[in-house]
Amino acid sequence: MLKKLITTAVVLAMLIFTLAACGTTLAPYDAKKDLGEQINYTITGIDAGAGIMLATQNAIKDYHLDDDNWQLQTSSTAAMTSTLQKAMKDKRPIVVTGWTPHWMFTKFDLKFLDDPKNVFGNAENIHTIVRKGLKEEKPSAYKVLDNFFWTAEDMSEVMLEVNDGVDPEEAAKKWIKNNPEKVAKWTDGVEKVDGDEIKLTYVAWDSEIASTNVVAEALKQVGYKPTIQAMEIQPMWASVATDAADGMVAAWLPNTSGIYYKDYKGKFEDLGPNLKGAKIGLAVPKYMKNINSIEDLKTSK
């Protein structure tokens, strides 16, 4: 028994040492203390290749946060939202890369930090991108993809279902069933096919999981047999540009995917927005009342 207690004590001591060494705090947010010190000058991010990560690196430089050794932590969307949820449960301080539409802004009480230097740009639109020749080779699929358009509220419905544990395909089927008038606008006048295959690629963000599964279900309604494949953002663009995939509905423009749009320009067809008014930036819980701008992250203002 004594040996077990000693072992437990050692493990706890090591944990405390590790947390102290990395500057992590388990204490609630304290507005009287320097924010950077409370979270080890760390912004919790997502996948390394995401456009919001590049924009955040630019923000660190443009706002001179690097003077205070602020750093961007690469993880994944799932890891970021999990860390966010745990922090908010205990009202601890945290700064994350955020974007809307996303279920976290519906489920959690969050706010975007003001961006006076406009590093993250204005509101974005999410575009549908297809391979060249799709209109001639698969005209029915082309028309559905060209017609596909929904709102942030629509997308959030599907994202919340998936976040609650519903399989993405089932969540998409439910949304399709509950929104026949909207789906009819996408499929109106489209000639049906008989099991023709079509491939869509997407980056595994919650928003794109929702949109890709929904549009796949819409394509099924006109007789297609869709395949959807998740991949990193750069390979997703490459897949459409090289005809390895037929299309994708995950192009955040002009900022998030701007570099890839430029790199592959002329090798794809842009069908325009399928959702308007998307936004990216840095976000914090609303209980961090005195942190309202990216400039507020800096120790010496």
Side-chain angles (χ1 to χ4, degrees):
M1 181 68 178
L2 180 59
K3 183 177 180 181
K4 184 176 181 180
L5 289 172
I6 292 173
T7 302
T8 302
V10 170
V11 171
L12 287 172
M14 291 178 66
L15 176 61
I16 292 170
F17 175 80
T18 301
L19 292 174
C22 67
T24 302
T25 177
L26 296 179
Y29 174 63
D30 189 341
K32 296 179 180 179
K33 294 182 179 179
D34 178 66
L35 172 62
E37 291 182 358
Q38 294 181 70
I39 58 175
N40 197 32
Y41 298 94
T42 298
I43 298 168
T44 303
I46 57 170
D47 314 83
I52 193 173
M53 295 292 278
L54 177 60
T56 302
Q57 292 285 13
N58 291 335
I60 289 173
K61 293 178 182 178
D62 290 358
Y63 285 95
H64 303 291
L65 300 180
D66 46 355
D67 292 346
D68 295 328
N69 295 316
W70 276 90
Q71 58 189 336
L72 177 59
Q73 182 180 32
T74 301
S75 59
S76 66
T77 301
M80 181 271 286
T81 53
S82 176
T83 302
L84 174 63
Q85 183 167 4
K86 291 174 183 176
M88 295 195 70
K89 181 180 178 181
D90 299 323
K91 292 192 178 297
R92 289 186 277 115
I94 189 170
V95 181
V96 300
T97 52
W99 64 94
T100 56
H102 192 279
W103 60 263
M104 62 181 168
F105 278 87
T106 303
K107 190 170 184 176
F108 304 135
D109 216 7
L110 299 172
K111 62 182 178 181
F112 277 110
L113 295 182
D114 292 339
D115 177 18
K117 295 181 183 292
N118 202 35
V119 177
F120 288 96
N122 298 318
E124 295 201 293
N125 297 325
I126 307 177
H127 287 226
T128 298
I129 304 294
V130 299
R131 66 173 175 83
K132 284 190 169 290
L134 183 69
K135 185 175 184 179
E136 293 74 27
E137 297 171 30
K138 299 180 180 181
S140 295
Y142 180 93
K143 192 166 185 180
V144 172
L145 290 168
D146 195 24
N147 290 341
F148 174 55
F149 184 86
W150 63 345
T151 66
E153 291 73 20
D154 294 327
M155 181 183 274
S156 293
E157 285 182 31
V158 182
M159 284 193 288
L160 280 170
E161 287 276 327
V162 176
N163 180 249
D164 287 339
V166 178
D167 179 80
E169 184 177 350
E170 293 305 313
K173 287 180 179 178
K174 179 179 177 181
W175 190 90
I176 290 282
K177 182 179 179 180
N178 292 339
N179 294 272
E181 292 182 359
K182 292 183 179 181
V183 178
K185 292 180 180 179
W186 308 342
T187 59
D188 183 44
V190 177
E191 185 177 345
K192 291 196 173 184
V193 299
D194 186 16
D196 292 7
E197 295 185 351
I198 185 166
K199 182 176 181 179
L200 304 176
T201 50
Y202 65 101
V203 60
W205 301 336
D206 298 284
S207 49
E208 276 51 63
I209 290 171
S211 59
T212 306
N213 275 275
V214 164
V215 81
E217 291 302 317
L219 287 164
K220 288 179 184 178
Q221 293 208 348
V222 296
Y224 280 96
K225 184 179 179 181
T227 298
I228 64 174
Q229 182 180 354
M231 51 183 61
E232 297 295 330
I233 187 169
Q234 188 277 332
M236 175 186 71
W237 278 87
S239 69
V240 178
T242 61
D243 298 345
D246 293 299
M248 51 99 161
V249 292
W252 288 57
L253 295 167
N255 301 310
T256 305
S257 289
I259 186 172
Y260 306 109
Y261 193 97
K262 182 179 179 181
D263 287 347
Y264 294 107
K265 192 171 183 179
K267 298 180 180 179
F268 59 81
E269 184 177 352
D270 182 356
L271 300 185
N274 60 62
L275 185 148
K276 292 184 176 181
K279 178 179 174 64
I280 65 171
L282 297 184
V284 300
K286 287 185 178 179
Y287 54 73
M288 296 171 61
K289 294 181 180 180
N290 65 321
I291 306 297
N292 297 301
S293 167
I294 299 175
E295 292 181 329
D296 292 336
L297 302 183
K298 192 163 177 60
T299 301
S300 302
K301 303 181 183 69

